[in-house]
Amino acid sequence: MNDPHRKTREQAHSVQDLLRELFPGTHRELFGARDSDSPPTLGLYPVADGRLALVHGDQLAEFTPIDPKGKNALHCDLCHYTRSRSEALMYRVTIAARRTRYVTLCTPTEACQGRAGARGLEAFADRIFPIEPHGPDDH
């Protein structure tokens, strides 16, 4: 039987969870920069068209792949392994109005992230973040 007073998994969220998800700025003002019981999200995730997203807490950087030129091996900036052109790609990430950073990453990135570990990912994210606003709509 369906009990209308029974909480489902979707309804079992606290006010703090909703504030964190819907209003991250207000959540930071009320509860601080991050929860002590959960570490911030950190990782590289594939998105559309071969791009990658680096997520670190509430920061996001988008990596756009660059067409490969040349035939020399590439050195991965995350796991520091040397890879062939078929095993690594170069990416461009805009970090400020007139500043772009170029990085090389293994493909696919799951094994690369495993080799780098949490400390390697943290060091990589520190090289990319914070991304400065570069448009009229950015804050």
Side-chain angles (χ1 to χ4, degrees):
M1 287 196 221
N2 288 337
D3 182 7
H5 299 293
R6 190 177 128 222
K7 288 187 175 183
T8 64
R9 201 165 139 188
E10 292 84 21
Q11 296 170 337
H13 297 289
S14 70
V15 172
Q16 188 172 354
D17 292 338
L18 292 174
L19 279 173
R20 182 181 321 119
E21 183 71 27
L22 300 175
F23 305 102
T26 303
H27 183 270
R28 277 190 297 277
E29 288 175 19
L30 295 174
F31 302 106
R34 66 181 239 211
D35 293 337
S36 59
D37 59 342
S38 64
T41 303
L42 176 62
L44 275 166
Y45 302 97
V47 292
D49 303 328
R51 294 175 294 172
L52 294 174
L54 175 63
V55 178
H56 184 46
D58 61 351
Q59 302 178 89
L60 174 72
E62 185 176 293
F63 292 76
T64 306
I66 300 172
D67 290 332
K69 293 182 178 162
K71 55 185 172 182
N72 295 338
L74 298 170
H75 180 79
C76 179
D77 290 311
L78 179 57
C79 70
H80 300 289
Y81 276 50
T82 300
R83 299 289 183 184
S84 69
R85 287 281 178 167
S86 64
E87 298 173 314
L89 282 175
M90 289 192 68
Y91 293 89
R92 175 179 42 239
V93 60
T94 304
I95 58 172
R98 293 185 179 182
R99 289 182 54 203
T100 302
R101 182 155 292 163
Y102 294 91
V103 296
T104 303
L105 296 168
C106 298
T107 56
T109 61
E110 292 84 15
C112 180
Q113 291 180 71
R115 285 188 297 272
R119 293 178 76 193
L121 269 170
E122 185 78 34
F124 183 72
D126 287 344
R127 291 178 41 207
I128 303 298
F129 296 116
I131 293 181
E132 299 171 13
H134 55 275
D137 294 334
D138 294 336
H139 295 103

